[in-house]
Amino acid sequence: MKPMMNSKLSLALMMLVSSLVLLQMGLFIAHQVWGIQFKWNVFQYCLSILQEATLGHNIVKILFNLLIVYTISRMLWRVFIQWFQLRKWNKIFLSKKTKS
């Protein structure tokens, strides 16, 4: 396989996997907030292994929620930083453009 094709395939696969994980997180949150039942959700499947009345079930549920909150907060932080850097770069670019 060509190196360029290999890197594009790797990027596409990473985007697909990350999209599926984010979708699963969203489905898990929708289940908790609105009580919607889904046929298949990885997070619910992992929780169903433990009995609902046990301490382990509650701990795993809290850990899943923390993982989801952490992931979303990191994504929002990265979007904010990217937006800030873009504004900064545009100011520099426009100042260089007007000098020419």
Side-chain angles (χ1 to χ4, degrees):
M1 213 182 250
K2 295 180 182 178
M4 187 64 148
M5 183 66 170
N6 195 12
S7 64
K8 286 183 180 182
L9 184 64
S10 296
L11 178 64
L13 187 60
M14 284 189 303
M15 294 295 286
L16 177 68
V17 169
S18 62
S19 296
L20 289 173
V21 169
L22 285 173
L23 175 71
Q24 292 295 312
M25 287 181 178
L27 293 175
F28 183 72
I29 293 297
H31 169 71
Q32 284 187 330
V33 173
W34 295 294
I36 301 171
Q37 292 293 331
F38 297 102
K39 290 184 182 179
W40 193 79
N41 187 336
V42 173
F43 292 102
Q44 286 175 301
Y45 178 73
C46 291
L47 277 176
S48 70
I49 293 173
L50 301 171
Q51 292 180 357
E52 200 161 324
T54 63
L55 178 65
H57 177 83
N58 292 331
I59 291 173
V60 171
K61 194 173 186 179
I62 290 170
L63 289 175
F64 281 159
N65 288 329
L66 288 174
L67 174 68
I68 292 169
V69 167
Y70 175 76
T71 302
I72 291 171
S73 63
R74 288 289 298 188
M75 285 174 54
L76 292 175
W77 177 251
R78 294 302 305 165
V79 167
F80 173 75
I81 293 295
Q82 185 65 34
W83 175 76
F84 180 75
Q85 293 293 335
L86 178 65
R87 284 183 47 126
K88 187 176 171 182
W89 169 249
N90 280 337
K91 286 179 185 177
I92 293 170
F93 181 72
L94 289 175
S95 71
K96 299 284 183 184
K97 185 178 175 183
T98 56
K99 288 181 183 178
S100 299

